[in-house]
């Protein structure tokens, strides 16, 4: 069978790489893909704009695509799943309505409240003056969030009132996040350790994937601006058996049941970003997709077929699906372009002297293949991912792989996995 993956990041390279491993998969197309998916065996890129739903539909029909997996949030929030499913094309990803869990922070916070899902206290505002007034009534630090999609950059941690005022000015007055900032959520600052809990969900059935932990801040020791994620590892020891069960009972099941009650049951990867402290969990956010870079270290550990898993979910047979993992630890280190998450250069030629073996994989993200060369095209450029018998070994191998890659202005965090090792 042939498969189509939508997206162009490291997550999509990992999804395509994994799908291509199944002997029953003939070919994997990636729209639009990157240099990594272009160079992968049994995988090729398709140049269609991901906003052009009709052309994607036509491509699926022409190529007799048996499964579409949508990677990023934007096409999900805009309803690509609904469009393709209405044409009878098997698509793995939530509907436009269910994707509101990520598409609007006000929607998700109101949903948490309605269904008693633990989260930070919050208030939502549609105008500058009432948001500003609210700043007199709260404690600091506080967190100001643009309501809509902002590529992981719409969250501003404010240590004092002045910072929060600046955040409101940048969102409401300077339009820093465009229409994503037409509403703002101001919420309680939570302390603790973060973890990512990602599962495959189909209505009331769930298959949790291996646990993981991302590193959101740009700098070592979690300092500096928030990014889409600078590296991740799996499993995350903070999610012990007791916490795992609590997450299912207090977060995942109530969310799945709530969505069914609202009339839009979930299908797809469901990602809860959690803050954990003293065995208490609170939801920071939901994502309606697989995490990036969590996908890379999680999929390198997945023994089972991802294609069968997604098809079981679509066909409502998830309860009979059992999933196997490679009993090792994994670590993925993002190599980024100087300046990221703010402005950065592109079009830098990449040199790779690769010694990949079964335990190592260099996933591409912001890369393009141009004139037989790999050049940079994004802020996060690669995710060097490795398996090891313990996290320390996985970390060491991932950093050795990082050393095999060079381009002008590259940088990476030196401490990916430090909390897991500690
Ligand atoms: P979000 O997109 O809502 O997950 O926020 C991105 C990142 O901002 C999270 O991964 C946390 O590191 C941080 N963050 C978001 N909300 C809070 C909060 N209420 N308290 C502390 N940190 C937060
Ligand atoms: N790594 C965080 C995210 O995918 O949103």
């Amino acid at each position: 069978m042939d498969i189509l993956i939508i997206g162009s990041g490291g997550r999509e390279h990992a999804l395509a790489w994994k799908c291509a491993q199944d002997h029953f998969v003939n070919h994997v197309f990636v729209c639009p893909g990157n240099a990594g998916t272009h160079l992968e065996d049994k995988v090729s890129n398709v140049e269609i704009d991901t906003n052009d739903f009709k052309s994607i539909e036509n491509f699926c029909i022409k190529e007799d695509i048996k499964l579409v997996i949508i990677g990023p949030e934007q096409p999900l929030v805009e309803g690509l799943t609904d469009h393709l499913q209405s044409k009878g094309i098997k698509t793995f990803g939530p509907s436009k309505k269910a994707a509101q869990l990520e598409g609007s922070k006000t929607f998700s916070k109101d949903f948490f409240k309605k269904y008693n899902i633990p989260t930070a206290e919050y208030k939502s505002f549609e105008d500058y003056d009432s948001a500003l007034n609210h700043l007199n009534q709260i404690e600091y630090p506080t967190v100001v969030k643009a309501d809509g999609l902002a590529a992981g950059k719409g969250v501003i941690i404010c240590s004092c009132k002045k910072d929060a005022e600046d955040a409101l000015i940048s969102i409401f007055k300077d339009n820093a996040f465009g229409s994503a900032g037409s509403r703002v959520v101001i919420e309680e600052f939570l302390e603790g350790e973060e973890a990512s809990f990602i599962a495959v969900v189909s209505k009331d059935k769930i298959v949790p994937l291996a646990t993981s932990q991302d590193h959101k801040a740009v700098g070592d020791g979690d300092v500096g601006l928030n990014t889409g994620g600078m590296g991740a590892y799996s499993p995350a020891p903070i999610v012990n058996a007791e916490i795992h069960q609590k997450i299912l009972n207090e977060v995942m099941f109530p969310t799945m049941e709530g969505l069914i009650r609202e009339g839009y049951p979930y299908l797809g990867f469901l990602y809860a970003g959690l803050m954990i402290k003293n065995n208490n969990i609170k939801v920071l956010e939901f994502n309606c997709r697989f995490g990036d870079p969590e996908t890379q270290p999680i999929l390198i550990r997945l023994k089972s077929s991802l294609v069968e898993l997604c098809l079981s979910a679509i066909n409502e047979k998830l309860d009979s699906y059992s999933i196997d993992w490679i009993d090792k630890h994994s670590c993925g280190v993002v190599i980024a372009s100087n300046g990221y998450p703010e402005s950065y250069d592109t079009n830098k030629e990449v040199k790779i002297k690769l010694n990949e073996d079964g335990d190592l994989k260099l996933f591409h993200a912001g890369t393009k293949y141009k004139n037989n060369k790999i050049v940079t095209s994004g802020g996060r450029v690669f995710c060097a991912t490795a398996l090891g018998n313990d996290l320390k070994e996985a970390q060491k191998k991932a950093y050795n792989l990082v050393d095999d890659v060079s381009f002008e202005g590259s940088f990476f965090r030196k401490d990916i996995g430090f909390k897991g090792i500690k």
Side-chain angles (χ1 to χ4, degrees), residues 32-319:
N34 56 35
T37 50
H38 171 78
L39 294 167
E40 201 69 56
D41 279 352
K42 277 170 71 175
V43 181
S44 53
N45 292 346
V46 187
E47 273 192 47
I48 304 177
D49 180 350
T50 52
N51 295 310
D52 184 355
F53 293 3
K54 186 71 192 165
S55 295
I56 295 174
E57 171 201 331
N58 290 342
F59 178 84
C60 291
I61 293 167
K62 181 169 92 42
E63 298 294 337
D64 194 20
I65 296 293
K66 296 290 190 225
L67 169 67
V68 180
I69 303 177
I70 303 173
E73 59 278 20
Q74 195 77 42
L76 291 165
V77 167
E78 279 165 19
L80 181 56
T81 304
D82 311 57
H83 180 91
L84 296 177
Q85 279 173 352
S86 74
K87 309 291 172 190
I89 299 161
K90 288 202 172 189
T91 306
F92 185 74
S95 65
K96 182 175 181 161
K97 282 198 162 150
Q100 283 303 297
L101 271 187
E102 176 167 4
S104 163
K105 301 234 185 252
T106 303
F107 173 93
S108 61
K109 296 293 289 190
D110 291 349
F111 179 90
F112 298 157
K113 201 169 175 185
K114 182 166 176 188
Y115 291 100
N116 267 324
I117 295 161
T119 190
E121 290 299 327
Y122 74 102
K123 270 207 155 76
S124 175
F125 300 92
E126 289 186 9
D127 70 281
Y128 173 75
D129 290 332
S130 35
L132 191 67
N133 189 33
H134 182 65
L135 298 185
N136 295 319
Q137 292 150 36
I138 53 173
E139 289 176 13
Y140 293 87
T142 192
V143 187
V144 176
K145 300 182 171 186
D147 182 76
L149 295 180
K153 293 166 201 161
V155 173
I156 305 156
I157 314 270
C158 307
S159 58
C160 59
K161 189 171 160 217
K162 167 82 175 62
D163 287 358
E165 284 169 1
D166 289 347
L168 292 179
I169 289 171
S170 108
I171 298 176
F172 278 121
K173 304 276 183 197
D174 301 341
N175 259 326
F177 304 104
S179 62
S182 59
R183 273 196 294 197
V184 157
V185 167
I186 301 180
E187 73 176 33
E188 169 199 11
F189 176 81
L190 297 175
E191 283 175 30
E193 187 171 337
E194 284 184 54
S196 309
F197 193 92
I198 304 168
V200 169
V201 168
S202 168
K203 291 187 176 163
D204 60 341
K205 302 290 185 301
I206 179 166
V207 173
L209 299 177
T211 59
S212 59
Q213 192 176 57
D214 188 10
H215 300 63
K216 292 264 167 70
V218 71
D220 288 1
D222 290 336
V223 299
L225 293 174
N226 255 340
T227 69
M230 292 300 292
Y233 64 95
S234 172
I238 175 102
V239 185
N240 58 31
E242 186 191 342
I243 298 272
H244 197 275
Q245 196 56 49
K246 262 181 102 125
I247 296 170
L248 286 173
N249 294 346
E250 294 177 16
V251 177
M252 302 308 275
F253 287 126
T255 300
M256 292 153 59
E257 281 157 22
L259 289 171
I260 292 170
R261 271 210 237 159
E262 297 292 323
Y264 26 94
Y266 202 88
L267 168 71
F269 297 112
L270 182 59
Y271 167 143
L274 304 164
M275 190 67 93
I276 304 172
K277 192 181 177 194
N278 303 332
N279 276 8
N280 280 314
I281 47 171
K282 287 199 174 165
V283 182
L284 289 172
E285 62 163 348
F286 263 118
N287 293 321
C288 61
R289 52 174 173 81
F290 219 144
D292 190 341
E294 291 93 328
T295 305
Q296 296 85 315
I298 290 177
L299 287 188
I300 204 172
R301 295 186 56 215
L302 180 62
K303 219 189 263 179
S304 309
S305 160
L306 180 68
V307 176
E308 284 176 359
L309 180 60
C310 294
L311 287 173
S312 303
I314 293 173
N315 297 330
E316 298 186 20
K317 298 215 166 80
L318 207 53
D319 47 347

Side-chain angles (χ1 to χ4, degrees), residues 347-393:
N347 230 1
K348 301 290 177 199
E349 188 180 341
V350 182
K351 295 259 185 284
I352 303 176
K353 60 167 178 32
L354 213 48
N355 301 308
E356 278 182 0
D357 65 22
D359 278 359
L360 297 176
K361 181 70 194 172
L362 181 67
F363 291 112
H364 289 230
T367 65
K368 273 204 167 90
Y369 203 66
K370 225 165 96 180
N371 305 327
N372 293 323
K373 285 178 181 156
I374 298 168
V375 298
T376 67
S377 64
R380 293 189 293 173
V381 185
F382 294 98
C383 182
T385 308
L387 284 168
N389 289 316
D390 53 31
L391 178 54
K392 224 171 172 167
E393 188 183 89

